[in-house]
Amino acid sequence: MKKALRIGAAAVALATVATVGAIFNTGHTGEKDFASAPFVQTAVLKQGASGGEVKEVQRRLKQWGYYNGAVDGIYGKATVEAVKKFQRKNGLTADGIAGRSTFEALGMNDSVKVLDNANKGNNQSSGSNYTSSDLYLLAKCIYAEARGESYTGQVAVGAVILNRVASSKFPNTISGVIYQKNAFTAVSDGQINLEPDKTAMNAAQDAMNGWDPTYGCIYYYNPAVATSSWIFSRKTVTTIGKHIFAV
């Protein structure tokens, strides 16, 4: 399997919904449903959007004095006005919509990368890609390993798996990486068989679209429960929630 970032047509049927700048689906009850579930991709965050990416916009605006409301992940009128103020200050079109230019000005480089990769995929003809089964399995592993983590933390776990696929040190398929002996606790204890929720599926799609909050890491661990002394010797790159991400 070649290492591309696009999903087959069966997994990317588009629907018209105004929501956050990421990939969302309408829910599923198993791999068969997941393979045919529609996904929605928008390029911007605007009034009515919600989620972790909205929280990050709010957090940054509040830190810099543009926003006084709650960091609740809801893109309401107060957020719109704060974004407009920020846009005017930075010479951008003050429309209250957070798109690529606004993300870039906010320093949200991961969001910029997701949009760039999504646009690149839309402009390319179809070819070799991950299958819907790969996407489903990635979501299962994310759910099993990180369902208690933030959305960014769940995307990060997915990114580590994909970084391993791309690394010569690991198997070159998602299933090979996930089922490599002793690689993931969730496989060893059977949690890999749990049904992933919508958040895990969205996180898997974002990871496949190129969002990597770990900046290329191929390891992660929870220092509170890790028992291998070797893992502590790896160079730490970032910490997200309870997980340390390393190379």
Side-chain angles (χ1 to χ4, degrees):
M1 184 189 301
K2 295 184 180 179
K3 301 160 185 173
L5 292 177
R6 291 173 286 116
I7 310 302
V12 294
L14 298 180
T16 304
V17 178
T19 180
V20 300
I23 303 295
F24 287 84
N25 75 335
T26 58
H28 77 295
T29 56
E31 183 175 354
K32 181 179 179 180
D33 292 333
F34 182 75
S36 59
F39 289 90
V40 179
Q41 181 175 329
T42 62
V44 299
L45 292 176
K46 56 186 177 181
Q47 189 165 349
S50 62
E53 195 172 24
V54 176
K55 279 188 176 182
E56 183 61 17
V57 169
Q58 292 172 328
R59 185 189 69 78
R60 294 187 184 226
L61 291 173
K62 191 164 189 173
Q63 180 181 356
W64 297 335
Y66 294 95
Y67 178 66
N68 296 318
V71 180
D72 56 7
I74 300 172
Y75 207 110
K77 291 182 179 179
T79 303
V80 171
E81 291 305 313
V83 170
K84 286 181 178 179
K85 290 178 184 178
F86 176 80
Q87 289 170 330
R88 283 193 290 267
K89 182 71 173 180
N90 288 272
L92 303 173
T93 300
D95 56 8
I97 297 173
R100 189 188 186 285
S101 297
T102 301
F103 286 141
E104 190 171 37
L106 284 167
M108 293 176 62
N109 296 328
D110 288 330
S111 296
V112 172
K113 184 177 180 181
V114 168
L115 294 182
D116 286 347
N117 283 333
N119 289 334
K120 184 187 298 182
N122 288 339
N123 291 331
Q124 292 175 342
S125 59
S126 60
S128 298
N129 48 62
Y130 287 125
T131 67
S132 58
S133 294
D134 289 328
L135 185 61
Y136 179 67
L137 179 57
L138 183 62
K140 288 180 69 176
C141 194
I142 289 171
Y143 183 75
E145 287 276 315
R147 60 186 178 275
E149 295 295 307
S150 67
Y151 185 72
T152 301
Q154 292 186 45
V155 176
V157 167
V160 166
I161 293 169
L162 296 179
N163 289 340
R164 288 190 178 189
V165 173
S167 171
S168 60
K169 298 179 181 179
F170 297 91
N172 64 354
T173 64
I174 288 176
S175 60
V177 165
I178 290 175
Y179 288 110
Q180 187 175 27
K181 186 176 181 180
N182 299 324
F184 294 97
T185 302
V187 174
S188 301
D189 64 17
Q191 292 190 67
I192 189 67
N193 297 313
L194 296 174
E195 187 71 16
D197 62 10
K198 185 172 71 171
T199 299
M201 294 186 291
N202 292 340
Q205 183 70 76
D206 269 346
M208 281 190 169
N209 278 352
W211 184 9
D212 183 2
T214 77
Y215 307 104
C217 287
I218 53 177
Y219 304 104
Y220 68 88
Y221 62 95
N222 183 341
V225 298
T227 57
S228 170
S229 58
W230 176 85
I231 195 64
F232 291 103
S233 70
R234 310 310 303 174
K235 180 181 178 181
T236 296
V237 174
T238 188
T239 299
I240 304 173
K242 296 180 179 179
H243 287 141
I244 291 176
F245 294 85
V247 292

